Amino acid sequence: PRPGEPLPVPTSLRALVLSRLELLSAEARQTLLVASAGARPTQALLEAAGRSDAEAETALAASLGLVAAQGTEGPEGAVRFAHPLVSAALYAQATPFERRAAHAALSTAASEPIERARHLALATTGTDEQVAARLSEAAALARDRGAPSVAAQLGLLAARHTPADGRPGADERRLRSAEDALTSGEIDLAREVARDVLERATDPAVRVRAWMVVIDAAGQAMADVESVFPQALADAGDDPRLLALVRYQLAWRALLVEGEMGKGRAEAAHAARLAATAGDRSTELLALSFQAQMETLMGHPAAPATLEKALAEPQDLRVAVDHNGAGATRFRWLIMSDQLTDARAAITRLLGEVRRRGIVESEVHFLRGLAETELRSGHCGRALDLAHESLRLSRDTGIGEAAGNMFTSLAEAAGGDVHRALVLARDAVRRAEEDGDLIYLSRALAALGHAQLVAGDAAGTVHSLRRARESEQRLGILDPARGRWHGDLAEALVLVGEPAEAQDVITAAREHAVRLRRASVLAVLDRAEALVKAANGEHDPAVRQLLSAQDRLAQLGYGLEEARAAFARERRREKREGRGEEEEEARLFRRCRAMPWLRQLDAVAAAVAAPGSPPVPAPAAPAAPESVLPHLDRLAATERQVAALVLEGATNREIAGRLFISVKTVEATLTRVYRKLGIRSRVDIVRLAAGQHRPH
């Protein structure tokens, strides 16, 4: 059901409830109906609604198993049904007249203004501007309280009761409801409402606003709504306010679909000028923030001045905390400029505010931003927890799951499980490719390359990070602090025997890092350059450069990168001077809770302890599902991931842990895999991969 609608009740359950209701008087049945219509019914509420014998009647219902016996849970006098579907069955079997009567009684009895407005609407038939206005006021109250989902439901009720000549009109109220649905993460509802409005609306302002909802509901997959833009431009005509809205979305399209950052910057600047002409400060601030973000990534000299304009007064409070607003752009500037303490303070404030307002999409982004800050600071355990929290919310709402997988992969590679990191990164790459999302594709490839490096797959790292480099070059991204993959690529190139190319990568990135004063990037590049020197036989200069890089990273607060420099220094020393320094190296990784790196350190220590034994290889990366399992094009994303983990020998419980889903979901997913591939068991998956089994 849509939000606010009653649950559908199976016929068998309805019959069971009705058979028990026959043992109650008509008055007692009416009392239970009023309770089923209330959001949080209590004895006091039922009595205020005119049910004077509510206590005795609910006690009898409890003896019949319809209502839970009074206990210590919940507020005093609370009336709790034995199961939510019992309440739904009671409500479903009532006549429309009986339901309206119950809501009418509750519309005066409820003490909460939002509840009173909802019951008044459900008790009223036809249109009534007074009822619509009260519902709109209640929606605004819910919005201010940080309950946008409730605001969306109330807004739809307000639209339903708005007369044909009402002001604001029914479609305007529907669109406000759709915007609240976007805020709460109810993307499908928002899209459905906007499409409904577009089927009949003729007012250009209403139509353009509806097109904006459709585009926003597409999220990163803007390529899916390509046909919308010409229609939105046609509806906007030459109105600067409406054109500013469309041009702002065209800036995003230029970035995500066309991969043209310069064009995106130009569209955003155009949108900002149009919005300023129209006096639309909200759109102007969003456009300036986008422009500042593009200029930052491009290493454009105008970036600080544009950001200052976006932060200037007057501000729109809602835009100020939006994940595409100036506050978020400032956070990105701080973290790219190595100001980790200020970045943490900024993103923490933003996260607290969007949680208070119930802005789910921004919460997803800001949780990830805080996780990134902790990861840069070397707090790998904290970063991993935050990344998973963001990913769970992303999966619950369908908002930015590709980006969530991408960043959680980085957190897993730093403080969790490298195999999970690989699964997440590959899924992020696949999703970005399917969505045509060029901006996140480069980041997903960078995450995959990093996970492959940690897993010991240097060749895979080189392949992924060369693709990331090509992607960023096409986009026009020049700031090496954005992706921070350059040091990983150089290190992997040294490992595969390409030190000359590694030096080229370092030299090119260093030029921009020096110009933009990216101190941490320069230190990481020095760490990578030391590996090039060591590969060329310059061992003493390499050790000195690694020590310098380690000290600078420590001063900047980059704990994990500091530990990696110490690790590289120890591995490049020709002779060890005892175990003391190795213990210090392990201490740095333990301080960061960098479990994958500690496992690498243990492998190196074991090899040193037994010099006559063959070298201990780094953990091998699991093969990509696409390379081992035919017929994968028949499977959905989660089904492919589950099948790939079965090939690794993972149990259902282990698969559930790696993919952060329940064991029952794993079982249900495997059932679908068997059906689609025409097989009967997990053993058949392995046989199919080996070419020993033919699907039915």
Side-chain angles (χ1 to χ4, degrees), residues 347-367:
I347 199 67
T348 301
R349 283 195 300 271
L350 288 168
L351 179 59
E353 185 61 25
V354 297
R355 280 175 164 168
R356 187 185 71 78
R357 292 170 175 259
I359 306 175
V360 175
E361 184 172 8
S362 292
E363 183 179 357
V364 169
H365 284 268
F366 293 157
L367 276 169

Side-chain angles (χ1 to χ4, degrees), residues 377-496:
S377 302
H379 305 151
C380 299
R382 171 72 171 148
L384 188 59
D385 290 343
L386 288 164
H388 281 308
E389 185 180 353
S390 176
L391 184 58
R392 282 191 296 270
L393 187 56
S394 180
R395 287 177 171 175
D396 287 345
T397 59
I399 295 172
E401 193 171 342
N405 286 348
M406 176 274 296
F407 189 79
T408 307
S409 170
L410 290 172
E412 285 284 357
D417 182 281
V418 70
H419 297 299
R420 278 201 295 262
L422 288 161
V423 169
L424 287 163
R426 287 190 178 111
D427 187 70
V429 170
R430 180 190 60 77
R431 287 173 182 270
E433 289 174 335
E434 289 179 355
D435 290 344
D437 184 348
L438 299 176
I439 193 74
Y440 266 110
L441 176 59
S442 63
R443 298 203 67 183
L445 287 166
L448 176 57
H450 180 72
Q452 289 167 321
L453 181 65
V454 178
D457 180 9
T461 299
V462 169
H463 175 72
S464 297
L465 295 185
R466 279 174 175 166
R467 287 187 63 196
R469 177 178 61 188
E470 292 165 3
S471 179
E472 287 201 356
Q473 287 172 345
R474 286 196 302 270
L475 287 164
I477 296 174
L478 298 179
D479 193 331
R482 185 260 189 176
R484 295 179 182 266
W485 46 262
H486 311 76
D488 285 349
L489 176 56
E491 182 174 340
L493 285 166
V494 171
L495 290 172
V496 299

Side-chain angles (χ1 to χ4, degrees), residues 286-414:
L286 283 170
L288 285 170
S289 299
F290 183 93
Q291 182 184 346
Q293 185 179 358
M294 293 305 97
E295 289 171 350
T296 298
L297 296 176
M298 295 166 67
H300 196 287
T306 305
L307 180 56
E308 188 175 346
K309 286 182 184 177
L311 291 167
E313 296 294 340
Q315 285 288 318
D316 179 313
L317 290 179
R318 183 175 176 81
V319 173
V321 299
D322 189 271
H323 62 281
N324 290 321
T329 303
R330 177 175 176 269
F331 160 73
R332 179 58 46 198
W333 174 271
L334 289 169
I335 201 168
M336 290 174 67
S337 302
D338 301 320
Q339 300 177 56
L340 297 182
T341 301
D342 290 343
R344 182 184 291 106
I347 199 67
T348 301
R349 283 195 300 271
L350 288 168
L351 179 59
E353 185 61 25
V354 297
R355 280 175 164 168
R356 187 185 71 78
R357 292 170 175 259
I359 306 175
V360 175
E361 184 172 8
S362 292
E363 183 179 357
V364 169
H365 284 268
F366 293 157
L367 276 169
R368 223 162 36 228
L370 183 55
E372 182 178 357
T373 308
E374 299 298 350
L375 188 58
R376 298 270 175 257
S377 302
H379 305 151
C380 299
R382 171 72 171 148
L384 188 59
D385 290 343
L386 288 164
H388 281 308
E389 185 180 353
S390 176
L391 184 58
R392 282 191 296 270
L393 187 56
S394 180
R395 287 177 171 175
D396 287 345
T397 59
I399 295 172
E401 193 171 342
N405 286 348
M406 176 274 296
F407 189 79
T408 307
S409 170
L410 290 172
E412 285 284 357

Side-chain angles (χ1 to χ4, degrees), residues 616-639:
V616 180
E626 293 81 356
S627 67
V628 296
L629 185 60
H631 317 294
L632 275 183
D633 55 347
R634 306 180 193 178
L635 304 182
T638 301
E639 293 165 355

Side-chain angles (χ1 to χ4, degrees), residues 259-280:
E260 295 188 21
M261 191 166 286
K263 183 177 178 181
R265 171 182 176 266
E267 286 282 13
H270 188 187
R273 290 191 296 271
L274 287 166
T277 299
D280 181 357

Side-chain angles (χ1 to χ4, degrees), residues 220-274:
Q220 301 295 126
M222 274 192 140
D224 293 346
V225 291
E226 279 284 87
S227 62
V228 165
F229 291 98
Q231 299 175 74
L233 280 170
D235 285 329
D238 57 2
D239 186 321
R241 183 175 62 86
L242 301 181
L243 277 173
L245 292 170
V246 182
R247 288 292 171 191
Y248 173 66
Q249 296 289 6
L250 283 169
W252 279 104
R253 179 189 173 279
L255 176 66
L256 298 178
V257 179
E258 299 180 65
E260 295 188 21
M261 191 166 286
K263 183 177 178 181
R265 171 182 176 266
E267 286 282 13
H270 188 187
R273 290 191 296 271
L274 287 166

